[in-house]
Amino acid sequence: MNIAIIVASGGGSRAKTNIPKQYIKILNKPILQWSIEAFKKSGNFDEIIIAYNKEHEEFATPILNELNVKSVYGGETRAISVKNALDFAQEFNPKYVFIHDAARPGLDNEIIESIFEALENGNDGAMPSLVLSDAIWQIDENNCAQKSISRDILRRAQTPQAFDYNKLMTAYQHFDNFENALDDAQIAIAANLKIKLVAGKERLDKITFNKDFEKMEGHLANNIYVPKTGIGLDAHQFCEGEFVTLCGVEIPYEKGLKGHSDADAAWHALTDALLGAIGLGDIGQAFPPSDMKYKGAASSIFLEFAKNKVIESGAKITNVDVVIICEAPKIGPHREAMRKKTAEVLGINIKNVGIKATTMEKMGFTGRKEGIAAQAIATIIAPFE
Ligand code: MG
């Protein structure tokens, strides 16, 4: 069990903006979200905890809810915010904890992997850092150069800084200068922990000033997004009943549809299309028909599950299209209600939901009115890997 903590409690006073900088969008995504998605994508973290400022509730809540991450309130200083999150993490009994600044949206898997490697090699902690390329001068009180300092022994520290959780907790418990702590490495080193430096990246630099936004956009644009599609097909047999359920809408009919759940063939096909777009298996793998829990279940739970899987993978649903194949009942009068329900469950604009119906000209099983079939296609925008 590993934990990632993202410190998002800063006020962002140096970058002059109306909203706190961690919530400003770069390439249409809040800065904080970039880091959350990087940790999620790595697949090595069981919980992600955001330490955020109580006064930023309106900006934080939508992100926390959409990405389904845990949160704590931050404190007066960075170290207090981290301590709050570390205390909260205790119940998960983590092995390693990664602590990352929200203002560094350029986190990628290569960095995460190299930090894990340093930890597995027996170091108490690890952090990314960069060598300095400029000459470094100490100055006097009149801003005059006083003494040159060899840059060979200096490094610029970045985050995530990662540690053996128990050792860092002990270090925090013994540290008493929380007002002045620069970062977690300082607290760890005060407790004699051994922190290994791994190669950092320019894209991991902190966004501090206004000019940094444009530069970061250039770095993040390297994460190329591509459209991906998935396809789904399903059919259910008619049985005795008074209505059929399609796209969550109950349509009165002289028969019902037979199935383990509510037999909503349209949403089953759509669920499979979404799972297919991210390379996962089908609905039956996630919800085995042998599991009595899903008997008579509303199929919105399957669709919701697939939607969450897409979001967790760092992708977004752009549009879906469903074709229902049957001789009867008539779909047309219910189409708008079906589009609305589907858009609601997927959290997308109704304009991005296509639903239509066709007959098979009395041929085949749908033509003989033995049941209803549905096909669906889903398009998502996903990070290229
Ligand atoms: Mg089905």
Side-chain angles (χ1 to χ4, degrees):
M1 162 75 79
N2 302 309
I3 298 279
I5 293 170
I6 302 177
V7 192
S9 45
S13 53
R14 277 184 287 182
K16 285 204 180 66
T17 52
N18 293 331
I19 60 172
K21 71 179 168 195
Q22 56 273 43
Y23 303 106
I24 292 172
K25 287 183 178 176
I26 296 186
L27 297 177
N28 215 21
K29 196 188 289 184
I31 287 176
L32 170 62
Q33 190 172 338
W34 283 96
S35 298
I36 297 174
E37 288 181 358
F39 280 122
K40 286 204 165 198
K41 217 168 104 184
S42 126
N44 283 307
F45 298 90
D46 304 274
E47 295 291 346
I48 298 171
I49 303 165
I50 315 300
Y52 73 100
N53 193 322
K54 221 185 253 192
E55 288 166 23
H56 299 164
E57 204 90 54
E58 60 175 310
F59 305 112
T61 309
I63 302 172
L64 302 176
N65 289 345
E66 191 190 331
L67 296 177
N68 193 21
V69 288
K70 303 256 185 321
S71 63
V72 294
Y73 287 134
E76 286 288 298
T77 67
R78 186 186 190 285
I80 295 168
S81 300
V82 173
K83 181 71 166 57
N84 290 349
L86 286 172
D87 288 341
F88 178 77
Q90 203 147 26
E91 65 170 295
F92 306 114
N93 193 22
K95 184 177 186 202
Y96 297 127
V97 58
F98 279 54
I99 303 166
H100 186 57
D101 297 331
R104 299 180 192 270
L107 179 61
D108 63 21
N109 210 33
E110 197 182 1
I111 292 284
I112 292 173
E113 291 293 324
S114 64
I115 293 173
F116 266 119
E117 198 185 323
L119 292 170
E120 288 295 327
N121 284 341
N123 296 290
D124 302 322
M127 64 175 170
S129 73
L130 290 175
V131 296
L132 295 129
S133 50
D134 298 315
I136 306 296
W137 282 86
Q138 189 176 315
I139 54 166
D140 64 15
E141 61 274 19
N142 301 315
N143 205 25
C144 292
Q146 197 179 42
K147 187 179 154 199
S148 76
I149 298 173
S150 168
R151 63 184 178 219
D152 296 344
I153 56 159
L154 297 175
R155 294 292 181 270
R156 278 203 299 123
Q158 297 180 315
T159 75
Q161 299 183 346
F163 308 88
D164 176 291
Y165 175 80
N166 290 326
K167 288 179 182 171
L168 185 68
M169 275 303 267
T170 309
Y172 259 86
Q173 276 148 13
H174 290 101
F175 196 77
D176 52 12
N177 193 7
F178 276 22
E179 284 84 71
N180 301 314
L182 285 175
D183 61 8
D184 308 291
Q186 186 183 348
I187 293 167
I189 288 163
N192 289 321
L193 299 190
K194 197 173 125 204
I195 312 300
K196 181 77 174 174
L197 298 186
V198 302
K201 291 183 177 187
E202 221 187 296
R203 56 176 285 147
L204 209 48
D205 278 345
K206 197 178 198 167
I207 293 179
T208 306
F209 304 105
N210 289 339
K211 65 178 170 54
D212 299 334
F213 286 91
E214 210 172 303
K215 201 169 156 192
M216 189 56 70
E217 191 175 306
H219 289 307
L220 295 175
N222 290 334
N223 283 348
I224 299 168
Y225 277 68
V226 291
K228 292 183 177 179
T229 53
I231 190 166
L233 174 66
D234 194 36
H236 282 269
Q237 219 177 353
F238 283 128
C239 63
E240 270 183 37
E242 291 166 350
F243 64 88
V244 298
T245 304
L246 292 168
C247 293
V249 176
E250 288 182 3
I251 301 174
Y253 187 52
E254 60 194 47
K255 288 170 185 168
L257 285 173
K258 194 171 147 189
H260 187 66
S261 64
D262 64 4
D264 188 333
W267 271 2
H268 293 179
L270 187 51
T271 299
D272 274 358
L274 287 165
L275 294 175
I278 50 172
L280 291 184
D282 63 23
I283 193 172
Q285 268 174 277
F287 302 93
S290 55
D291 192 335
M292 292 311 287
K293 202 165 50 183
Y294 304 112
K295 188 151 177 51
S299 294
S300 56
I301 61 169
F302 309 136
L303 194 58
E304 183 107 37
F305 169 83
K307 175 194 86 170
N308 289 335
K309 286 285 169 197
V310 169
I311 291 168
E312 280 167 25
S313 78
K316 270 190 165 45
I317 302 166
T318 60
N319 74 298
V320 297
D321 194 15
V322 180
V323 189
I324 295 162
I325 306 159
C326 60
E327 298 293 326
K330 284 214 172 310
I331 301 301
H334 306 281
R335 186 165 58 184
E336 285 315 300
M338 291 159 79
R339 288 178 74 209
K340 189 162 175 271
K341 284 227 169 191
T342 305
E344 272 168 19
V345 175
L346 296 180
I348 60 177
N349 193 306
I350 194 165
K351 285 180 192 163
N352 298 315
V353 179
I355 287 171
K356 52 192 164 291
T358 185
T359 72
M360 285 283 124
E361 300 281 340
K362 301 199 166 56
M363 297 179 287
F365 72 88
T366 59
R368 293 188 297 271
K369 293 192 182 176
E370 292 169 12
I372 291 182
Q375 268 188 321
I377 190 161
T379 307
I380 62 170
I381 292 286
F384 181 74
E385 314 183 77

